[in-house]
């Protein structure tokens, strides 16, 4: 099975199904949208949300809001910032269930066709060698996915979705694992909505491997985890050169913050736990 996904719920939904079926398979992400341009700066759907508030506060005119709306989403693809869709695409690549380098590719990029061809080759390899999702979806793989998500400043929904996938795969995972991993993982990617850059920017400098290689070098990822290539995570990353982060990726030694961006809280309001970003 090659499961095609494109947004917040379909990414975890397809991987839940693959884990349940446990047949040789992988997930292929349709890609994110390119940013629009407004007054000489890149904009995303987040800017429209904020502009709606600005309009109701009397800070901009209805015409200015409409002008932004017309350019913020210039084409196909999931929301361009590190919202749930791109967070989950990154987490699933880190889990080993997607082709390396595929999570960041914009939907309209010419490389998409090459990635699709590669996915076909990979699923045939998985079939030939009887490698199944539950061989890949180990506890180490889930910890890799969590590490990448919190290092990038990803959506809180990654907690909900990875717990659901782990349940289908029969892997013991709970919200305390997210807190433990977040506390040890530096925040190194300056991604919207918390930061400046969109997924297309990360793709331009080399994609998700640019986040994962320094994390692996720092001992924060399990490089021995199996992936849909039939190789380990470390072997996959060795094929990608480490590029200049261009301010998008910070060094592990000088991160944006020393800990990841998710915290699990408990108290009288949420005795079973809650997630704060």
């Amino acid at each position: 099975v090659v499961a095609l996904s494109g947004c917040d719920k379909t990414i975890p939904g397809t991987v839940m199904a693959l884990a349940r079926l446990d047949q040789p398979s992988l997930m292929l992400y349709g890609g994110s949208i390119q940013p629009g341009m407004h007054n000489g700066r890149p904009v995303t759907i987040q800017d429209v949300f904020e502009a709606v508030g600005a309009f109701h506060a009397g800070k901009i005119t209805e015409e200015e809001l409409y002008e932004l709306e017309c350019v913020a989403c210039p084409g196909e693809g999931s929301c361009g910032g590190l919202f749930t869709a791109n967070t989950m695409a990154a987490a699933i690549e880190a889990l080993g269930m997607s082709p390396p380098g595929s999570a960041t590719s914009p939907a309209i990029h010419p490389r998409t066709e090459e990635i699709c061809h590669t996915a076909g080759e990979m699923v045939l390899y998985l079939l030939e060698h009887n490698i199944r999702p539950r061989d890949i979806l180990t506890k180490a793989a889930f910890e890799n996915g969590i590490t990448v998500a919190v290092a990038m400043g990803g959506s809180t929904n990654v907690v909900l979705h990875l717990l659901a996938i782990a349940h289908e795969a029969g892997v013991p995972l709970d919200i305390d694992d997210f807190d433990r991993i977040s506390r040890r993982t530096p925040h190194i990617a300056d991604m919207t909505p918390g930061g400046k850059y969109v997924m297309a920017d990360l793709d331009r400098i080399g994609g998700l491997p640019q986040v994962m290689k320094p994390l692996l070098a720092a001992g924060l990822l399990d490089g021995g985890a199996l992936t849909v290539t039939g190789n380990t995570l470390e072997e996959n990353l060795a094929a990608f050169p480490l590029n200049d982060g261009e301010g998008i990726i910070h060094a592990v030694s000088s991160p944006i913050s020393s800990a990841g961006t998710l915290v699990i809280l408990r108290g009288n309001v949420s005795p079973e736990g809650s997630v704060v970003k």
Side-chain angles (χ1 to χ4, degrees), residues 143-155:
E143 295 206 352
N144 285 343
I146 296 168
T147 299
V148 169
V150 297
M152 296 177 71
S155 167

Side-chain angles (χ1 to χ4, degrees), residues 165-269:
I165 296 167
H167 176 75
E168 294 293 348
V171 174
L173 191 71
D174 61 42
I175 59 173
D176 292 324
D177 290 314
F178 290 82
D179 194 74
R180 170 178 57 83
I181 292 168
S182 187
R183 289 179 186 277
R184 77 180 187 202
T185 305
H187 176 205
I188 61 172
D190 190 12
M191 307 290 291
T192 59
K196 301 176 184 176
Y197 298 98
V198 296
M199 210 63 157
D201 294 316
L202 179 55
D203 189 70
R204 174 175 51 79
I205 64 166
L208 197 65
Q210 303 305 310
V211 178
M212 297 176 73
K213 285 178 74 77
L215 293 174
L216 178 66
L220 295 168
L221 294 177
D222 187 332
L226 182 66
T227 73
V228 291
T229 65
N231 296 324
T232 65
L233 183 72
E234 184 171 8
E235 289 168 337
N236 289 345
L237 292 176
F240 293 86
L242 185 62
N243 300 324
D244 185 343
E246 297 186 16
I248 302 170
I249 307 298
H250 293 235
V252 170
S253 58
S254 55
I256 299 167
S257 63
S258 60
T261 53
L262 296 181
V263 177
I264 303 300
L265 300 179
R266 282 186 170 85
N268 61 329
V269 175

Side-chain angles (χ1 to χ4, degrees), residues 7-227:
C7 211
D8 298 22
K9 312 303 182 293
T10 58
I11 297 172
T14 53
V15 181
M16 288 170 69
L18 298 182
R20 189 181 305 167
L21 291 168
D22 203 31
Q23 299 297 320
S25 53
L26 58 83
M27 189 278 285
L28 190 61
Y29 178 44
S32 63
I33 195 171
Q34 295 278 28
M37 292 299 295
H38 184 250
N39 293 335
R41 70 180 183 90
V43 291
T44 70
I45 190 71
Q46 177 193 348
D47 295 279
V48 179
F49 298 154
E50 293 175 357
V52 169
F55 166 67
H56 286 293
K59 296 180 179 179
I60 63 173
T61 66
E62 186 172 359
E63 290 73 21
E64 288 172 319
L65 172 59
Y66 180 71
E67 181 183 318
L68 174 62
E69 287 177 335
C70 288
V71 298
C73 297
E76 54 269 63
S78 302
C79 295
L82 197 66
F83 308 114
T84 305
N86 282 324
T87 298
M88 290 310 301
I92 300 306
E93 182 178 321
L95 275 175
M97 282 296 295
S98 291
S102 64
T104 59
S105 185
I108 63 170
H109 198 288
R111 193 170 81 254
T112 299
E113 185 174 342
E114 177 187 335
I115 292 170
C116 292
H117 185 88
T118 300
E121 293 177 334
M122 287 179 186
V123 80
L124 289 175
Y125 180 91
L126 296 172
L127 181 62
E128 180 183 354
H129 293 84
N130 196 31
I131 298 173
R132 299 168 182 255
R134 294 188 195 182
D135 298 322
I136 295 169
L137 294 172
T138 62
K139 183 66 178 285
F142 280 100
E143 295 206 352
N144 285 343
I146 296 168
T147 299
V148 169
V150 297
M152 296 177 71
S155 167
T156 54
N157 284 336
V158 74
V159 179
L160 175 76
H161 295 323
L162 287 184
L163 287 173
I165 296 167
H167 176 75
E168 294 293 348
V171 174
L173 191 71
D174 61 42
I175 59 173
D176 292 324
D177 290 314
F178 290 82
D179 194 74
R180 170 178 57 83
I181 292 168
S182 187
R183 289 179 186 277
R184 77 180 187 202
T185 305
H187 176 205
I188 61 172
D190 190 12
M191 307 290 291
T192 59
K196 301 176 184 176
Y197 298 98
V198 296
M199 210 63 157
D201 294 316
L202 179 55
D203 189 70
R204 174 175 51 79
I205 64 166
L208 197 65
Q210 303 305 310
V211 178
M212 297 176 73
K213 285 178 74 77
L215 293 174
L216 178 66
L220 295 168
L221 294 177
D222 187 332
L226 182 66
T227 73

